[in-house]
Amino acid sequence: MVLPRPSNEDNYLFQKFIRAVFGTNNVDHCTRLCHSSSVAALLEQIGSGSVSNPFADCLQTEVIFVIGSNTTHNHPVAATFIKQAARAGATLIVADPRRPELADHARYYVRFRPGTDVAFLNGLMHIMLREGWYNARFVAEQTEGFEQLREVVEAYTPHVVARLTGVPERLLGEVARAYGTARRAMIFWGMGISQHTTGTDNARCLINLALLTGNIGRPGTGLHPLRGQNNVQGASDVGLIPMVYTGYQSVADAAVRQKFEQAWGVPLDPQPGLTVVEIMTAALEGRIKAMYMMGENPFLSDPNINKVRKSLAALDFLLVQDIFLTETAAYADVVLPAASFLEKTGTYTNTDSRVQLARKAIEPPGQARVDWQIIADLARRMGYPMFYASEEEIWEEIRALTPVLRGITYERLERESVAWPCPEPGHPGTLVRFTSGFPRGKGKLVPARFAPPYELPDADYPFVLNTGRILPHWHTGTMTRRAKALHALAPEAELEMTAEDMAALGIAHGERVRVVSRRGEITVKAVCSSKPSPGSVFLPFHFREAAANLLTVDALDPYAKIPEFKFCAVRIEKLSDA
Ligand SMILES: Nc1nc2c(c(=O)[nH]1)N[C@H]1C(S)=C(S)[C@@H](COP(=O)(O)OP(=O)(O)OC[C@H]3O[C@@H](n4cnc5c(=O)[nH]c(N)nc54)[C@H](O)[C@@H]3O)O[C@H]1N2
Ligand SMILES: Nc1nc2c(c(=O)[nH]1)N[C@H]1C(S)=C(S)[C@@H](COP(=O)(O)OP(=O)(O)OC[C@H]3O[C@@H](n4cnc5c(=O)[nH]c(N)nc54)[C@H](O)[C@@H]3O)O[C@H]1N2
Ligand SMILES: [Mo]
């Protein structure tokens, strides 16, 4: 087997390999379900939706702040860099309600109540402003909105914040000092920040922290929302988000629209499209009649599966294009077999926004065909003349229509990976962004007020359910659960609970329990763990026979429409009680 072509830095080879093996060329789904809240906040405050610095910059920073990311499991290569940096003397701060293994390497581990990120982060800013641990010159020269921010964080005194979040006042002060007084500091975050009804507000607070301290626009600083699927960055960059074309050019902008109408020879709709979870609701209400599902398995990955089931059943027509017969495909009228990453050529854009070229290594099996060829064929049969001779020709069209990608040619990608913006052929690409200001002009400080999660625990449903991933598996398990070695490592779902909570319910380690939410129930093995915070349980969503998303709530963040995968109320029952 031939691996995808290595990029010029060996360090990225391994990352690229595991990304390519486990990742997919997934589209809006990942953007929408992973980081749409972060992208919304970054676009609003900075004017660009991507990371500001490459993850390896953690090797040249003083302080690394990781929040809501289970990095060692989900971004193991980035985690290796972070661990190295910590060993070499950088101060590592890890904040997460569930203790991630990266906390073993941290100077400060902050456990706070789930869903209280805004309170915690406002608390840090309160202390930083009070103590003068911020960069007044940067704030004056490069930002706007300082007074509004100050007014809001004024109320978040250490006393109030300690009560809301459960974080001791002293620890708050130490973390505020560490981040606020560093000459260079970086923030990494993951789904613990973004997958909340307050996801955009959570991300806004992190951007505020960087802007207040001037920790952006230089090497070893910045904001790095760790991206999810192997090519989710590339998918959003080429416009697989319902409100933009390639390079984040707005569908509502008349000049942009005209450019694309001319290139494609068809009139285009000025209205933004629907987002993933909205689509399911629209299908349920009969406003959407047909769906073309490529490279996603929402029957397991969307929140509130019982509703998804009804939505899919309500469709007149469902087309699923996948490399395996998925749970979702069971609802399809037509299934089209697609070729996997090894069987096709194309570009992948990684979390640093580096565009990388991967080459076809083997022939697709049976009747499987390359995704874009299936799409082009369908388009032609529907009356639109879509002809491309090669992947490169598609890329050339993207390049012609996208100023930030214009300098990246296949010829160049043969030799190197290139990070965008790269506006012309001789341009070296941009790994550290915003070195001479922000795309929107001044960075905008946007205050956020603490608001509780959508569904709080109560007497009937006393536990908080946190869902996410474990190292051996990839999302809905279509690929990893077919791999014997990975299956041997993690054959079944495990519900993590604290020893105290298990004792209170009389549940033994390894006992099967029923987990019930207002939307559904599952049975699963309960295991004792010191990771969850008291009153919370953690469940991975990889296992169809104990599907976490039967339980989750489909409440959305109002700005970015991301669902609250990280918080809903459940009850745990002993099976013998039933
Ligand atoms: N092995 C493996 N790797 C993967 C994936 C996979 O399926 N398997 N998926 C890829 C994809 S698409 C993505 S998006 C990334 C996701 O990577 P991560 O963002 O690391 O993913 P999660 O495990 O969903 O959750 C991250 C953390 O959020 C924490 N959290 C829960 N509630 C809160 C809260 O209220 N506040 C805060 N601050 N944190 C909270 C959880 O405890 C958890 O540690 O991983 C990518 N990498
Ligand atoms: N409870 C809970 N739910 C979550 C999350 C969570 O943290 N908690 N996280 C959310 C996040 S961040 C994400 S990204 C989603 C992931 O949700 P999905 O994207 O729905 O999950 P995957 O299992 O990655 O599905 C990818 C599909 O693409 C197929 N595939 C692989 N390669 C190719 C290819 O080359 N072509 C085609 N056509 N198909 C291919 C695979 O077989 C698989 O069926 O889940 C979300 N759901
Ligand atoms: Mo994701």
Side-chain angles (χ1 to χ4, degrees):
M1 185 179 84
V2 185
L3 296 183
R5 290 169 65 86
S7 56
N8 45 359
E9 290 101 324
D10 282 340
N11 283 336
Y12 293 110
L13 176 60
F14 176 63
Q15 196 219 7
K16 185 167 145 181
F17 175 61
I18 50 169
R19 278 286 178 263
V21 172
F22 297 145
T24 72
N25 56 354
N26 198 288
V27 290
D28 173 65
H29 205 231
C30 190
T31 308
R32 183 60 47 198
L33 299 182
C34 305
H35 265 310
S36 57
S37 36
S38 313
V39 171
L42 287 164
L43 282 171
E44 172 189 26
Q45 296 180 256
I46 284 172
S48 160
S50 65
V51 301
S52 70
N53 292 64
F55 64 78
D57 264 21
C58 66
L59 295 174
Q60 38 177 323
T61 192
E62 286 178 5
V63 170
I64 305 167
F65 183 20
V66 180
I67 180 165
S69 155
N70 186 7
T71 331
T72 56
H73 282 247
N74 299 326
H75 299 89
V77 175
T80 306
F81 280 70
I82 294 173
K83 286 188 243 174
Q84 272 173 25
R87 198 159 304 151
T91 299
L92 176 60
I93 304 163
V94 172
D96 197 304
R98 169 182 182 247
R99 191 181 193 283
E101 278 136 34
L102 195 63
D104 295 346
H105 304 261
R107 176 93 47 90
Y108 303 108
Y109 166 57
V110 185
R111 198 200 279 281
F112 54 100
R113 288 195 190 99
T116 62
D117 296 73
V118 167
F120 166 54
L121 298 167
N122 278 347
L124 296 182
M125 287 187 266
H126 176 100
I127 299 169
M128 284 158 52
L129 292 186
R130 194 187 64 199
E131 301 296 329
W133 294 333
Y134 68 102
N135 186 335
R137 202 171 131 201
F138 186 91
V139 167
E141 287 172 3
Q142 301 221 39
T143 73
E144 61 188 46
F146 180 70
E147 280 315 315
Q148 291 91 313
L149 180 73
R150 180 198 279 284
E151 234 166 73
V152 170
V153 303
E154 185 76 35
Y156 293 80
T157 61
H159 182 68
V160 167
V161 171
R163 288 192 55 183
L164 284 171
T165 62
V167 182
E169 289 184 37
R170 199 179 138 170
L171 183 56
L172 278 173
E174 285 174 16
V175 169
R177 184 213 294 268
Y179 184 84
T181 61
R183 275 167 303 175
R184 291 186 306 282
M186 273 185 97
I187 305 176
F188 290 92
W189 73 93
M191 298 301 106
I193 283 291
S194 52
Q195 289 173 339
H196 284 281
T197 46
T198 56
T200 305
D201 278 344
N202 293 347
R204 282 177 177 140
C205 289
L206 295 176
I207 299 166
N208 291 340
L209 274 177
L211 289 175
L212 271 184
T213 52
N215 272 309
I216 189 159
R218 288 175 288 134
T221 67
L223 296 159
H224 195 119
L226 288 153
R227 303 308 315 249
Q229 303 258 18
N230 69 327
N231 194 36
V232 59
Q233 183 67 49
S236 3
D237 295 348
V238 298
L240 289 162
I241 315 180
M243 55 292 278
V244 291
Y245 295 114
T246 57
Y248 306 91
Q249 304 173 82
S250 170
V251 299
D253 181 323
V256 166
R257 209 165 52 242
Q258 219 177 10
K259 178 171 83 172
F260 283 89
E261 285 179 342
Q262 225 150 43
W264 294 338
V266 283
L268 295 168
D269 192 339
Q271 294 299 321
L274 294 181
T275 60
V276 162
V277 180
E278 289 176 322
I279 290 172
M280 286 299 171
T281 304
L284 195 57
E285 292 167 359
R287 286 181 286 128
I288 287 186
K289 304 281 186 203
M291 250 189 243
Y292 183 169
M293 200 98 74
M294 180 175 101
E296 66 180 68
N297 188 13
F299 188 70
L300 283 184
S301 58
D302 268 23
N304 193 1
I305 292 174
N306 277 322
K307 183 168 159 188
V308 173
R309 189 194 313 256
K310 287 185 204 140
S311 303
L312 294 178
L315 291 171
D316 290 348
F317 179 73
L318 174 63
L319 162 56
V320 168
Q321 182 169 319
D322 205 290
I323 61 171
F324 290 113
L325 210 53
T326 59
E327 288 73 14
T328 308
Y331 287 80
D333 298 281
V334 177
V335 180
L336 297 177
S340 76
F341 79 99
L342 283 168
E343 297 146 6
K344 60 190 173 195
T345 292
T347 58
Y348 296 84
T349 306
N350 83 352
T351 189
D352 289 345
S353 294
R354 288 175 197 261
V355 183
Q356 309 172 96
L357 183 59
R359 293 267 180 209
K360 172 172 162 177
I362 49 174
E363 289 302 322
Q367 294 179 301
R369 298 180 60 206
V370 174
D371 285 303
W372 73 260
Q373 289 175 345
I374 301 176
I375 297 170
D377 237 15
L378 275 174
R380 286 198 293 270
R381 294 198 196 178
M382 287 162 67
Y384 179 80
M386 188 183 285
F387 292 99
Y388 297 102
S390 65
E391 292 78 14
E392 184 169 2
E393 214 175 285
I394 302 174
W395 181 257
E396 282 301 304
E397 179 183 309
I398 295 171
R399 221 163 63 76
L401 291 166
T402 318
V404 293
L405 297 173
R406 193 150 294 155
I408 308 179
T409 57
Y410 261 44
E411 189 258 321
R412 235 178 126 174
L413 292 174
E414 297 274 354
R415 289 175 275 113
E416 56 180 347
S417 66
V418 188
W420 66 266
C422 179
E424 71 256 358
H427 192 285
T430 314
L431 273 172
V432 178
R433 297 175 185 189
F434 321 130
T435 48
S436 49
F438 302 113
R440 78 174 290 279
K442 289 201 165 183
K444 187 173 179 189
L445 293 159
V446 179
R449 289 187 171 82
F450 170 69
Y454 175 79
E455 185 183 67
L456 293 171
D458 58 16
D460 292 333
Y461 300 94
F463 285 91
V464 173
L465 174 71
N466 172 11
T467 66
R469 300 151 170 81
I470 54 172
L471 178 66
H473 284 301
W474 188 267
H475 300 150
T476 67
T478 48
M479 297 172 283
T480 52
R481 292 197 78 199
R482 285 182 164 84
K484 276 196 201 114
L486 297 174
H487 174 75
L489 286 171
E492 68 173 316
E494 294 183 342
L495 180 80
E496 291 176 3
M497 298 183 72
T498 67
E500 295 73 28
D501 287 336
M502 288 181 97
L505 296 177
I507 295 167
H509 177 74
E511 184 176 330
R512 297 191 68 77
V513 295
R514 180 179 295 115
V515 189
V516 188
S517 83
R518 288 190 173 82
R519 291 151 297 279
E521 60 177 71
I522 59 167
T523 54
V524 64
K525 182 164 117 184
V527 297
C528 178
S529 166
S530 55
K531 286 181 183 172
S533 41
S536 313
V537 293
F538 173 82
L539 184 67
F541 73 104
H542 309 301
F543 300 87
R544 61 191 290 181
E545 63 282 11
N549 282 325
L550 279 169
L551 305 169
T552 50
V553 64
D554 53 334
L556 302 182
D557 172 279
Y559 304 99
K561 315 287 182 193
I562 199 167
E564 191 143 68
F565 283 125
K566 295 289 180 266
F567 200 112
C568 74
V570 295
R571 163 169 85 229
I572 319 286
E573 295 172 354
K574 275 177 83 74
L575 289 184
S576 51
D577 289 349

